[in-house]
Every structure is written in C-alpha cells, then in structure tokens.
C-alpha cells in the first residue's frame, strides 16, 4: 500500500512539474522593419502611426502563434508575411526597384533546433520570399537558391506566384526616378558615372526572431535590397551568418543595414560566436558587434536578437530602427527612434 | 662625443633590427583542390602524378609571388588561376555541368588586412572567376554579384570573357550523362524524381590561403559547384564566412566539401572565431570545426588555413583532400590521402 502511494505521489509530482514546466517556459518575439539615419521630425504623424500599427499587427500575429503553442518558425513566417504584404517596408509589396525597374527579392530563414537553413536570392515572382526560403530549407537538399531557378523551385512546391508588378508601389517608382535623375546629373556634370549605390541602402528590410514553448529559436529576414541596384547584387539578407542566424545554444539574429559590411563582419553569427566562445550575454555580444566591430569598419545598421531565456536585444548604430518586441515577461513595445 | 656615439649606435641598432625583422618575417601558402571519399586504389598512377604536378605548379607560382615580396592577394589569385585553367579540377576549365549542360561558376576572395571581400555566383562567361571576385572586391561598392549582372560587371572591368564551352571537358559531359541516366532509372523504377544531388558534390573545388611579408593574410576559393545542379543553387564557395574568410588578427581559410553544411556551420569564420574568442590555436580550431561541429552535423569536407605566424592547417574529415603547402620554415609537401 505504501509502495503504491509512493508511486502515485511520484506520478503526480512528475505530471505537476511537467505542467508547471510547460507554463513556465518563456516565449518571446522581436521584429524589425529596417534601420537608418532618419530624424523624428522627418516623419509625419500619420506615417509614424501607420508604421507603428503595422509593426504591432505583425508582432501580435507572431506572438499569437507562440501563445497557441506554435513553433518559432511558424511565428517568424507569420509575422514576416504581414510585413512583406505591407507597402510600408522594403520587402515583398513595396520593395525598391532595381536599375531595370524590377523588384528582386531576397530572404532567408534558420531553425535554431537543428541549424537547418534556407534562402532565396533575386526572385521576382514569388509572392512570399520568406515562404520560399522556408520551402528551400524544408523541401530541398540545398540552402540557397537564386534567380529563375529559385522561382522554378518555388513553383514546383506550389507556392503562390505573382507577376513582378504585384510588388510595385508609386513611392518606389518615384524613388528610382529620382535616383536615376541624380545619377544622370552626376554623369552630365562630372562624368563620374553612376550614383554610389551605397548611399541608398537605408530602409525597410524586415526580420523576425522568436523563441517558442519548446525552447526552439528561429530567425528570418526578407528584403527588396537597394534602389537602382545592378549587377545581380546580393546583400546580407539571404546570407546565413550575415543576415540571419539561429542556434538554440546561443541566440537567433536578424540584421538590417548596409549589407556589404554585414557580410564582411559576419554579423549575425558573430553575435552567436561571442556568446558561445567568449561567454558574453546576448546584449554584450550585440553591443560588441554593432557598436564596436561594425562601427569601426564604417558599417551602419542594426540587429534584433533573442536568446534561449527569451532575453531580447534591439541594437543599432543608426538614429532609428523600426522595431517591436514582446519579451518573456510579457512586456511589449513598438519603437522607431532612440536605442 | 659620447652622445653622438649613443645616437649612432641606436640608429645602427634600429636599422639592423628592421632588416632582420624583414628577413625574419614568415611567408607561407597552402592550397586545396577539393576533398572527398576516394581511396588510393581508385586513382591510377598517371592521374595521381598529373594532380600532384599541377598542385605543385600552383604552389610554386603562388609562393614565388610571396618570395618576390608580392601581396598575399596576388599569390592567392596567381595560384587559383593555374588551378582554374587546368581541366583536372572542378573550377574554371573542367567545371562540372549543371542540369542544363552549362558551367556555372562561383568564387570568392577576402583580404585579411581590411576585411574587404568580393564574390561572384553563377557566372558562365568570365574566364577567371577568382579574378572577377577580386574585381568586385576592389572596384565595386559591393561584396557579392550574381549571374548575368556579375558578368556585365566583369566585362565592364575589362576582364577576359569567354564562351561557356571554354570550360567544357569530355569527362564532365560524361559525368552529367551518367547522372542523368541514373536519375532517369530512378524516375522509371521508383518514381522518386531526381537523383539526390547531395551524393554528387565530392570533388574539385580549389582554394588558396597565403601570408605575405607584410603580415597580410588572404584567402580565395573557386568552384564549378555540383554536377546536374538545378535551381540556381549557390553553395558555400562564394559565401564569405562559409567558403572563404581572412582576418590578419586570426587566420585565412578556404573550404571544400558539401557546401550546404559549410554554410549552416559558417565553417571558415567559425575557425577564426574560435581563435579570436576562445583563444584556440589554428589547428585546435580547425579540429573543433571539421572533426566535431561539422562531423556531428553530418557534413563532409575540409579546409586549408593559415595563421599570422605562418602555421598551416590542412584538416578534413573525408579520406582524401588534394592539397599542398609550403610553410614558414620552407617545408613543402604535396598530398592527396591521409591527414
């Protein structure tokens, strides 16, 4: 009898602790909609409200996935999809136009549980680049597909395909026109050739990082790249290690900024490496990379990141980063300026 | 008088030490021509001799640049060019054919002195992909260019352009035919669709790392990718951090193997991170990444690497890696099997 009581107690205790454990497990999500050097006075109240509202919508949608017990990957894709389908950001609809007046989109995603990763570069007809990146990760033996080949793969996987003008907005057409006019002026006046494209990287890449109830981290990034870009330029967004990285042992990171510097400094993975190999906290690692390493190289931009405890870092060396988070304590903020 | 003698002694001493310093400064170079699981009995003597001889030719050419006081970047490009122009390796001439029977080439290069980097992906008409990667690094504001855009840039920089069949060899045509036949058999017999491309990554990417008299490290990698590849697949070779990395503070690395794993593990930069943030030696870091991290993930391949003292690591978890080096003590070896 005593023995039965003992086992019964043990059974109850185990179940109780597992329920408690389940309830105690932190969930958290953070996202960005790009970083750059804008000032509060340069953005009107209506625009600011629209940005904050869309960031919140994406945050809530992603967080709901986590609350319902969904995976961090599902949360990342859900939140990024909302930002891709909004014309406010330089990803999906509202992407900037390249030198030929086309939208060429890049995205990547990584699963911190098994270091699986997927990316697409230079796609023109995939409605959701982040969904395509996920399909590459989960349904191909590859990590990175590019151009028409990536579209062929996406179509073979029954992902929704669209015409390129699905992504066009008047605002981006105007931007391209202005950049081209300026370029022509430069040509005419100084014979210096094309406008330095690096002046024009500033805004709107989107990214999400999440921690789910299973303790799995995930990160994703989606972008339209640079206005007037040429030469099949690939930035950091589809590069695992630079634009996106996730490892349950350390953290999940999504980058935004002047991509060339982020590639050279291997920004996303460098933050994970500083945690794994130097024992830094998430925030210490992010500060080291964004405020020291990257800044010393002359690179502008920022990251959002989350660690396995649900701590969040939103770190940038520009004046602004569109960002939102809800952390493991339930605290929620949606912000544009300041750090 | 005593004062003059003192200053004279100081002057002589400074000059003597600077001459000695110059002479003492180590130079070293290492290269690979791919890694994979072949056995000594599977390669005939004549082929083995041809491989060893071409590896030595590239080694000597690169090393001569260093001896003459040339930069590590010049040495890397000189040695890789020789391997690209040889039909023995899967880079430049002799590159494998993609599913459409075309050669699509990738390359990347990095300067350890300033972390400048350049890469091209999926180019078909650039005679020397490594030269194109260097041009991207030195003459554009970008790090990575792809496809036709990359070719347009290369042509604008007066790099030598060729027709795609410049790279064809009968051997590679045969390989593609065989893979396609096997694929068809699979289709016919099991309806399983295409042959798993990951069985076919094995050989021939080339890479070089070097340390010059100024103490500058550089790394470069060039490849034709995978036979029968589709979907604009991009492997690790043009990815900074995965296939190539160089930082004077730590090391220069070039990777070869199953690219998808190298991307997910950020192999090249991870070795540098283990040195910088965990204080490991070059060989300890290489062992940790190739024999533990990568192997545990199921990734096959290897790296060549060099540190700022001229120590060299040639580390692989396959049965073979075509490789050669000449270290800071002048020791020279050209090897295929064993580690």
């Amino acid at each position: 009898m005593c023995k039965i009581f003992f086992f019964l107690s043990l059974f109850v205790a185990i179940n109780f602790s597992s329920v408690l454990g389940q309830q105690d497990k932190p969930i958290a999500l953070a996202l960005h909609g790009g970083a750059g050097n804008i000032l509060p006075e340069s953005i009107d109240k209506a625009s600011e409200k629209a940005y904050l509202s869309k960031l919140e919508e994406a945050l809530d949608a992603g967080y709901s996935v986590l609350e319902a017990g969904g995976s961090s990957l599902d949360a990342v894709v859900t939140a990024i999809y909302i930002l891709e389908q909004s014309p406010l950001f330089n990803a999906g609809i509202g992407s900037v136009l390249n030198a030929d007046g086309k939208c060429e989109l890049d995205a990547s995603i990584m699963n911190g549980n098994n270091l699986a990763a997927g990316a697409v570069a230079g796609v023109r007809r995939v409605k959701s680049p982040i969904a395509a990146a996920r399909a590459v990760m989960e349904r191909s033996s590859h990590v990175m597909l590019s151009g028409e080949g990536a579209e062929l793969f996406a179509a073979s996987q029954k992902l929704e395909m669209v015409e390129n003008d699905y992504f066009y907005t008047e605002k981006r057409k105007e931007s391209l026109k202005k950049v081209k006019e300026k370029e022509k002026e430069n040509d005419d006046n100084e014979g210096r050739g094309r406008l330095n494209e690096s002046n024009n990287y500033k805004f709107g890449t989107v990214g999400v990082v999440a921690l789910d109830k299973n303790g799995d981290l995930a990160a994703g990034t989606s972008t339209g790249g640079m206005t007037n870009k040429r030469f099949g330029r690939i930035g950091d967004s589809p590069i695992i290690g630079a634009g996106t990285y996730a490892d349950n042992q350390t953290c999940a990171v999504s980058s935004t900024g002047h991509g060339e510097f982020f590639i050279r400094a291997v920004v996303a993975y460098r933050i994970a490496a500083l945690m794994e190999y130097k024992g830094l906290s998430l925030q210490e690692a992010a500060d080291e990379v964004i405020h020291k390493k990257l800044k010393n190289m002359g690179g502008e931009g920022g990251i959002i990141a989350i660690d396995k405890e649900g701590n969040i870092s939103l770190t940038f060396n520009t004046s602004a980063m569109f960002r939102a988070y809800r952390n493991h304590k339930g605290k929620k903020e949606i912000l544009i300026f300041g750090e």
Side-chain angles (χ1 to χ4, degrees), chain A residues 31-33 50-60 83 89 322-324 334-336:
Chain A
L31 57 83
H32 70 75
Y51 279 113
L52 293 173
S53 159
K54 189 53 78 174
L55 291 170
E56 185 170 18
E57 183 191 336
L59 176 68
D60 290 348
L83 301 172
F89 304 96
F322 292 95
R323 64 204 187 275
I334 300 120
L335 302 154
I336 299 178

Side-chain angles (χ1 to χ4, degrees), chain A residues 97-172:
Chain A
L97 305 182
N98 72 7
D100 300 325
K102 300 277 177 198
C103 291
E104 279 186 332
L105 315 177
D106 304 332
S108 64
I109 192 163
M110 189 157 182
N111 179 350
N113 176 281
N114 57 4
L115 304 187
V120 292
V123 294
R124 297 180 174 201
R125 301 193 307 112
V126 183
K127 185 179 177 186
S128 170
I130 194 70
R134 187 179 187 172
V136 172
M137 173 172 75
E138 295 180 340
R139 299 186 236 159
S140 87
S141 56
H142 301 309
V143 169
M144 190 170 187
L145 302 182
S146 65
E148 285 173 34
E151 284 166 10
L152 204 65
F153 173 78
S156 79
Q157 298 301 310
K158 314 284 181 222
L159 297 192
E160 197 168 347
M161 306 301 286
V162 294
E163 292 303 312
N164 195 247
D165 60 11
Y166 173 80
F167 304 112
Y168 293 4
T169 56
E170 277 308 314
K171 192 178 139 200
R172 302 302 191 185

Side-chain angles (χ1 to χ4, degrees), chain A residues 39 182 220 244:
Chain A
L39 297 171
K182 221 168 182 175
T244 300

Side-chain angles (χ1 to χ4, degrees), chain A residues 6-16:
Chain A
F6 172 76
F7 280 114
L8 195 70
S9 309
L10 200 68
F11 177 78
V12 170
I14 287 167
N15 273 274
F16 183 72

Side-chain angles (χ1 to χ4, degrees), chain A residues 37 54 79-80 89 144 161 165 180 184 187 203 206-207 221 250 255 269 280 298 310 325 339:
Chain A
N37 286 316
K54 189 53 78 174
I80 288 184
F89 304 96
M144 190 170 187
M161 306 301 286
D165 60 11
K180 282 196 175 285
K184 194 171 175 301
D187 275 347
F203 273 110
V206 307
T221 310
T250 49
S255 307
Y269 171 67
L280 299 195
Y325 72 90
E339 197 179 17

Side-chain angles (χ1 to χ4, degrees), chain A residues 72 110-116 210-212 214-219 245-253 268-282 285 305-311:
Chain A
S72 50
M110 189 157 182
N111 179 350
N113 176 281
N114 57 4
L115 304 187
L211 169 67
D212 66 27
N214 287 325
D216 287 332
L217 294 172
Y245 197 76
D247 182 348
N248 280 3
Q249 283 183 58
T250 49
C251 61
V253 183
Y269 171 67
R270 188 183 288 267
I271 292 171
L274 278 162
M275 294 176 72
E276 185 170 0
Y277 299 136
K278 209 179 174 181
L280 299 195
S281 72
L282 179 70
I306 190 168
D307 69 14
K308 54 188 167 182
E309 273 95 41
N311 297 304

Side-chain angles (χ1 to χ4, degrees), chain A residues 26-31 56 59-64 66-67 209-211 306 310-312 314 323-334:
Chain A
I27 58 172
L29 188 139
L31 57 83
E56 185 170 18
L59 176 68
D60 290 348
Y63 196 84
S64 298
L66 299 174
E67 276 186 314
V209 294
L211 169 67
I306 190 168
N311 297 304
I312 281 170
L314 313 151
R323 64 204 187 275
Y325 72 90
R326 193 156 162 192
N327 71 11
H328 57 301
K329 294 172 189 159
K331 187 181 173 189
K332 172 175 161 177
E333 283 191 292
I334 300 120

